Amino acid sequence: MNWRAYLEDRNKMFWLLQITGWLGYALVQYMGSLMHEMREIWIAIVLLGAYAGFLLTVPLRYLYRRIWHIHPMLQVVVVLLCSYLAAAIWAVIDNLTNWEIYKFGFRPTNLLFYFQHSIAKFYIMLSWSGLYFVIKYYQLLQDAQQKSLAAASMAHQSQLKMLRYQLNPHFLFNTLNAISTLILVNENKAANQMMSKLSRFLRYSLDNDPIKRITLEQELSAAQLYLDIEKVRFGERLNVVVEVSAEAKQALVPSLILQPLIENAIKYAVAKTEHTGSIHIKAIRIDDDLQVTITDNGPEPFDPDKIKIRGSGVGLMNIRERLKALYGKEFLFTLSANTPSGCIASMRFPWHSGTENSK
């Protein structure tokens, strides 16, 4: 926060309220005078009275800023004394102005007449002081709320970054392990291809802000980079079908939200079948939600009551935590059985269009 700009804004707000408030006081006084037959010169008296009140309350502001941090009881005593003193001075000025202009230089013999109406003016000064403290406390409350929101936002962003970057070492370990296996069996060409595609995938993942959401089309491109890596290892045994409408491609999704699910499908379906392992990626819009499903034909029937068959480690937990951080309770993430075997991973969360954000 720019502290100088902050103080300037607060200073401008004070003077705006100060001028508006005392102009309002003058208007009320003038409207009240219309009930009586007052000469036109009374307008000058009303304006001078409001101007005197305006000037007398300016020192109160600086005094109240000095006593802001003292004990509340002492604050009350100082406010009462200062308000009455300012009211007494204001009454003397107001009376002298009235006598000099409206009564052609009249002067009373009793000095107490100089302080007449001081009680009424005391209530006005006390009201001004009360408003000052109320507005000041309100501004402090707003500042505290903004700081709290900023701190919560920073914590939320840190959580998202942690969850998002958690995928990199997890995925990297699995891929390097696969490359190591290829090298051990003298598949150097395949290992080199996988290493090249791995570098492209990591460059893509590091170039994208983990906080911002990307379009599903971009997410599918990232998923394709990962699938290219796995195709080096599985070749024709890996079959991928993508069924995503043009509208769904413009939906905003968390970056790299598909990769752990695809990795899970490859680990428990493609890698364990002797035949062709299929992965079907589908995304559709349902009302105001986006639903994304990843289906595989794993050799083992999936039992929802025994979810550990499919693992509940870093990948799946990461997805759940990221969706929870982004959408609160407005998301669904489920694993269910495919027919005749395999698993269906489904995500559903609020629809946000990338085309709307670009406008």
Side-chain angles (χ1 to χ4, degrees):
M1 177 186 291
N2 189 326
W3 187 248
R4 180 174 295 178
Y6 170 82
L7 292 177
E8 288 179 355
D9 289 342
R10 288 297 166 86
N11 198 45
K12 289 177 182 177
M13 178 61 69
F14 170 80
W15 289 113
L16 177 62
L17 293 175
Q18 178 78 340
I19 293 170
T20 305
W22 285 108
L23 285 176
Y25 168 81
L27 180 61
V28 170
Q29 290 291 100
Y30 173 71
M31 296 298 290
S33 71
L34 295 178
M35 299 175 62
H36 309 281
E37 293 184 3
M38 310 295 290
R39 300 200 307 271
E40 291 183 357
I41 195 65
W42 184 256
I43 297 176
I45 295 173
V46 168
L47 291 174
L48 288 172
Y51 183 60
F54 175 91
L55 292 178
L56 286 168
T57 49
V58 172
L60 292 182
R61 176 201 184 194
Y62 295 101
L63 177 63
Y64 292 161
R65 287 166 65 176
R66 289 292 186 92
I67 66 169
W68 187 258
H69 298 291
I70 68 174
H71 194 276
M73 290 303 297
L74 288 176
Q75 277 187 352
V76 171
V77 172
V78 172
V79 168
L80 289 173
L81 290 175
C82 291
S83 295
Y84 187 79
L85 178 61
I89 297 172
W90 188 19
V92 172
I93 295 172
D94 223 17
N95 287 326
L96 283 172
T97 303
N98 185 17
W99 296 333
E100 185 67 32
I101 298 176
Y102 199 78
K103 294 188 177 181
F104 308 105
F106 166 79
R107 293 294 185 275
T109 55
N110 190 340
L111 293 178
L112 291 178
F113 278 95
Y114 283 89
F115 296 97
Q116 66 180 350
H117 309 305
S118 60
I119 297 300
K121 295 187 181 300
F122 169 67
Y123 288 128
I124 295 173
M125 286 295 178
L126 199 58
S127 298
W128 184 95
S129 301
L131 281 173
Y132 176 84
F133 278 89
V134 167
I135 293 172
K136 189 76 171 177
Y137 276 116
Y138 175 76
Q139 289 175 337
L140 290 176
L141 179 62
Q142 291 293 101
D143 291 343
Q145 288 178 343
Q146 288 181 0
K147 289 178 181 177
S148 177
L149 289 173
S153 177
M154 290 178 65
H156 183 248
Q157 291 181 9
S158 297
Q159 180 190 19
L160 286 175
K161 285 183 178 180
M162 179 195 70
L163 290 170
R164 167 63 173 73
Y165 286 136
Q166 187 183 55
L167 291 176
N168 289 345
H170 178 251
F171 156 75
L172 186 60
F173 171 80
N174 291 336
T175 306
L176 290 177
N177 188 51
I179 293 173
S180 175
T181 302
L182 289 173
I183 294 174
L184 287 175
V185 296
N186 293 322
E187 293 286 345
N188 295 331
K189 183 178 179 180
N192 185 58
Q193 289 178 351
M194 186 176 285
M195 183 64 73
S196 175
K197 294 180 185 296
L198 173 63
S199 66
R200 289 175 58 198
F201 180 82
L202 289 179
R203 186 180 299 112
Y204 178 92
S205 65
L206 292 174
D207 285 344
N208 281 282
D209 190 334
I211 303 279
K212 294 181 180 179
R213 283 171 285 185
I214 60 176
T215 63
L216 182 57
E217 185 174 18
Q218 292 173 299
E219 176 65 6
L220 288 170
S221 298
Q224 188 60 52
L225 286 174
Y226 170 73
L227 287 167
D228 287 344
I229 295 172
E230 295 298 343
K231 281 185 177 180
V232 173
R233 182 159 57 127
F234 293 102
E236 297 299 324
R237 285 179 53 203
L238 175 58
N239 178 50
V240 180
V241 177
V242 178
E243 186 181 346
V244 180
S245 66
E247 182 187 27
K249 286 181 179 180
Q250 299 307 312
L252 293 176
V253 299
S255 63
L256 292 187
I257 199 71
L258 298 182
Q259 186 268 331
L261 294 176
I262 296 173
E263 182 180 1
N264 196 59
I266 289 175
K267 180 178 180 181
Y268 291 98
V270 180
K272 290 189 175 183
T273 184
E274 296 179 359
H275 306 289
T276 301
S278 295
I279 297 176
H280 185 190
I281 303 172
K282 184 178 180 180
I284 58 173
R285 180 176 183 174
I286 303 177
D287 297 327
D288 292 329
D289 293 338
L290 174 70
Q291 179 169 298
V292 181
T293 57
I294 296 179
T295 307
D296 65 63
N297 63 341
E300 299 176 358
F302 176 74
D303 186 354
D305 296 327
K306 297 179 180 179
I307 195 170
K308 288 187 178 179
I309 292 177
R310 278 289 175 134
S312 56
V314 174
L316 299 183
M317 290 297 294
N318 184 286
I319 291 175
R320 190 177 300 278
E321 290 300 319
R322 290 178 70 197
L323 291 175
K324 182 178 179 181
L326 284 169
Y327 303 108
K329 295 182 179 180
E330 297 183 349
F331 80 94
L332 289 174
F333 176 53
T334 59
L335 296 178
S336 57
N338 190 21
T339 302
S341 63
C343 175
I344 301 173
S346 177
M347 296 181 292
R348 181 167 174 171
F349 43 82
W351 173 277
H352 295 287
S353 175
T355 56
E356 292 174 3
N357 284 17
S358 61
K359 290 180 181 179

